Amino acid sequence: MENYVLFTESTCDLTPDLVREMDVQVLPMTFTLDGQCYRNYPDNRELDPKAFYDKLRNGSMSTTSQVAISDYEEAFTPFLEAGKDILYLAFSSGLSGTYQASKVAIEELQEKFPGRRIVSIDSLQASMGEGLFAYTLAMMRKEGATMDALIDYAEKNTQRFCAWFTVSDLMFLKRGGRLSGAAAVAGTLLGIKPVLHVDAEGHLIAMEKVRGRRASLDALVKHFAATADKNYGEMTVFVSHGDCLEDAQYVADKVKAYGVHRICIGDIGPVIGAHSGPGTVALFFLGGPR
């Protein structure tokens, strides 16, 4: 197998079991909660998602930070020194400056390691949408695909990774600037639930509004049926959630009824959850275009 390492960061929301299966390196991103700074690792060693969401429900505020240039250098250097090349899949440039920071770090590292290849790819995705992208590349790598083959696939198929979300608490979208205060209050009073997706530029966009939680979960499945690839028997689908496993399982069961080969459910970690809030459910699959 070609000597290269696949990296991503913790906004991928991959479970520890998936990280091990994929043999991927995950950079932890940071978040602050009640004045204390944490690192978001896939195994949640510093703060459990349940505890995080309970704090949000009780009024705590959380902020997030992108990966620092020094973090890339610290994580990449041991592998470069060992003679390995690096392919890095980054959090959507439409939602964070992480991708641009990785490009700056790579320029600096390339000067120190001129004989090594270091490539950053913009996933244009978030949460387990980024995770599904990384999973797809990792499975290709396990089958012996070269780094060039993965890069070529990513460039040609980025728009085929589809993401659909719904949230429970509109106030988190308000805080993130994605919904006006008046709309958030009115929507909450009327029981309105937005259905959002990640667009072609990697931005989170509200697509429709439905009344009631069950209707919003059904809408995710509706969009899956309309836009997913039809080779269900070979398809892997990811579902992530903000401390609402039953709702995520409801969506997963609906999708499974289409004959989908594999469905993986995971937590929305604190870095994404700080902006989407408890009760978020997201569905990710190959289809499109977005």
Side-chain angles (χ1 to χ4, degrees):
M1 181 182 292
E2 189 179 359
N3 203 14
Y4 68 98
V5 180
L6 183 60
F7 265 87
T8 187
E9 72 273 285
S10 59
T11 45
C12 66
D13 289 338
L14 291 167
T15 66
D17 285 345
L18 282 169
V19 171
R20 284 189 290 271
E21 177 187 348
M22 294 162 57
D23 188 23
V24 64
Q25 301 295 317
V26 181
L27 278 170
M29 292 182 73
T30 60
F31 63 99
T32 301
L33 181 68
D34 294 335
Q36 183 172 348
C37 187
Y38 300 87
R39 286 200 169 218
N40 174 211
Y41 292 92
D43 62 6
N44 304 307
R45 68 189 70 165
E46 295 195 2
L47 185 66
D48 180 75
K50 172 68 174 173
F52 172 78
Y53 285 112
D54 281 345
K55 284 181 175 290
L56 292 190
R57 291 186 180 100
N58 290 328
S60 293
M61 298 286 290
S62 180
T63 57
T64 60
S65 302
Q66 68 189 44
V67 180
I69 292 173
S70 60
D71 291 334
Y72 289 112
E73 294 175 345
E74 182 180 346
F76 289 177
T77 294
F79 293 96
L80 297 170
E81 289 178 339
K84 299 179 185 293
D85 296 330
I86 290 174
L87 181 59
Y88 175 69
L89 185 68
F91 183 32
S92 173
S93 62
L95 298 169
S96 169
T98 295
Y99 172 66
Q100 291 302 325
S102 74
K103 301 288 280 186
V104 174
I106 287 170
E107 285 184 17
E108 296 181 2
L109 285 167
Q110 206 72 76
E111 293 180 5
K112 297 178 183 178
F113 300 95
R116 300 266 55 87
R117 293 184 70 197
I118 317 169
V119 178
S120 180
I121 295 171
D122 185 355
S123 72
L124 296 176
Q125 272 293 351
S127 189
M128 288 186 86
E130 181 185 357
L132 181 59
F133 203 151
Y135 173 85
T136 303
L137 297 180
M139 293 303 102
M140 291 174 62
R141 180 178 179 273
K142 276 182 170 285
E143 293 173 1
T146 64
M147 183 167 161
D148 281 330
L150 266 63
I151 294 169
D152 182 64
Y153 176 89
E155 290 175 347
K156 292 177 179 177
N157 292 279
T158 301
Q159 296 300 325
R160 293 184 60 234
F161 288 89
C162 302
W164 290 89
F165 294 74
T166 189
V167 302
S168 178
D169 189 338
L170 299 177
M171 293 305 171
F172 286 90
L173 292 182
K174 169 187 169 292
R175 291 171 195 162
R178 303 193 180 279
L179 198 65
S180 71
V185 171
T188 299
L189 292 173
L190 295 172
I192 299 298
K193 304 297 181 185
V195 177
L196 310 97
H197 88 140
V198 176
D199 70 8
E201 287 77 44
H203 302 110
L204 190 58
I205 304 295
M207 296 297 290
E208 63 178 309
K209 299 174 183 177
V210 297
R211 182 165 292 183
R213 176 66 163 180
R214 183 57 58 89
S216 70
L217 299 176
D218 288 337
L220 303 183
V221 182
K222 176 191 73 175
H223 288 293
F224 167 82
T227 62
D229 290 346
K230 304 309 178 190
N231 59 335
Y232 300 125
E234 301 174 6
M235 180 180 291
T236 296
V237 171
F238 283 1
V239 181
S240 61
H241 67 95
D243 195 30
C244 52
L245 179 58
E246 287 187 6
D247 288 343
Q249 190 65 60
Y250 172 84
V251 171
D253 289 344
K254 289 279 189 178
V255 169
K256 188 176 182 179
Y258 285 85
V260 169
H261 167 67
R262 184 181 188 186
I263 301 177
C264 299
I265 299 176
D267 294 303
I268 296 175
V271 175
I272 300 294
H275 305 284
S276 58
T280 300
V281 177
L283 176 62
F284 308 98
F285 54 89
L286 276 165
R290 292 188 197 179

